[in-house]
């Protein structure tokens, strides 16, 4: 099969899976308080971002990372970005996560799980910092002129570190199984 067609197919499947899971988890948790629905949907999103980059490569992971917040804004996803101004920052946060996972998670070291654990920590902190500084410290107060009590300040602070960590931990559990299945084919 043509490698380009395979890449497009896999990337498209990850985007479709991500958008579907965002909608399902966002809908199921829409009545829950903001930290809870952010934790559930964010963890699933981060899991898919990490699995896409680790199974299909950096280009695929980057495409999924960028398309995710754009699709969440366009589609009626309950937990999607409310303000267009934060979409680029979510893209950059997602890109930080997939780039760090690609660089660290693919290191050739004797203990693959060690590389995954380091990628989990560094990737989660990287994504958190991009979103915290970009949204909480710059865009929300200076561009959107939101009051300090606005939910966006909480959504883009510590929950981002938690969701990236949960998504990474889930990915560490899932990746060996997926890699075994992919290598059999």
């Amino acid at each position: 099969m043509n490698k380009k067609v395979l890449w497009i197919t896999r990337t498209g499947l990850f985007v479709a899976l991500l958008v579907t899971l965002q909608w399902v988890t966002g809908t199921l948790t829409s009545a829950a308080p903001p930290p809870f629905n952010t934790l559930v949907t964010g963890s699933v999103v981060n899991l898919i971002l990490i699995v896409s980059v680790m199974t299909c490569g950096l280009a695929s992971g980057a495409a999924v990372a960028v398309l995710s917040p754009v699709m969440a804004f366009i589609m009626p996803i309950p937990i999607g970005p409310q303000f267009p101004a934060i979409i680029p920052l979510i893209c950059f946060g997602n890109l930080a996560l997939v780039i760090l996972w690609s660089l660290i998670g693919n290191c050739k070291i004797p203990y693959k799980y060690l590389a995954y654990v380091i990628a989990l920590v560094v990737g989660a902190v990287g994504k958190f910092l991009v979103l915290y500084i970009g949204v909480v410290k710059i865009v929300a107060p200076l561009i959107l002129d939101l009051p300090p009590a606005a939910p966006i300040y909480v959504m883009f602070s510590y929950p981002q570190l938690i969701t990236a960590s949960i998504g990474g931990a889930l990915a560490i559990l899932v990746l060996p199984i997926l890699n075994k299945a992919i290598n059999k084919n």
Side-chain angles (χ1 to χ4, degrees), residues 12 19 44 53 73 77 96 111 116-118 125 129 140 142 150 160 167 174:
V19 170
V44 170
V53 73
F73 181 76
I77 295 175
Y111 302 103
Y116 284 173
V117 170
I118 294 169
V125 170
L129 287 174
L142 303 176
Q160 296 301 320
V174 170

Side-chain angles (χ1 to χ4, degrees), residues 74-85:
I74 293 170
M75 296 181 67
I77 295 175
I79 196 160
Q82 303 296 314
F83 305 100

Side-chain angles (χ1 to χ4, degrees), residues 2 6 10 21 24 26 37 59 69 80 104 107 130 132 135 138 143 168-169 175:
N2 184 336
L6 185 61
R10 285 181 174 175
L21 289 172
V24 169
N37 56 15
I104 300 167
C107 285
V130 168
Y132 183 76
V135 176
I138 298 171
I143 296 172
L175 283 170

Side-chain angles (χ1 to χ4, degrees), residues 29-108:
T29 63
S30 61
F36 179 76
N37 56 15
T38 301
L39 290 173
V40 172
T41 302
S43 298
V44 170
V45 166
N46 289 313
L47 167 65
I48 300 300
L49 292 174
I50 294 164
V51 169
S52 70
V53 73
M54 296 306 291
T55 60
C56 299
L58 183 56
S60 181
V64 175
V66 170
L67 288 172
S68 167
V70 173
M71 296 299 292
F73 181 76
I74 293 170
M75 296 181 67
I77 295 175
I79 196 160
Q82 303 296 314
F83 305 100
I86 65 169
I87 293 172
L89 294 167
I90 297 171
C91 292
F92 289 134
N94 288 349
L95 283 170
L97 181 73
V98 297
I99 290 169
L100 291 167
W101 261 90
S102 179
L103 291 173
I104 300 167
N106 288 318
C107 285
K108 304 294 182 208

Side-chain angles (χ1 to χ4, degrees), residues 147-170:
I152 196 170
Y153 289 99
V154 173
M155 285 177 57
F156 288 95
S157 63
Y158 71 90
Q160 296 301 320
L161 185 60
I162 295 168
T163 60
S165 298
I166 292 170
L170 292 171

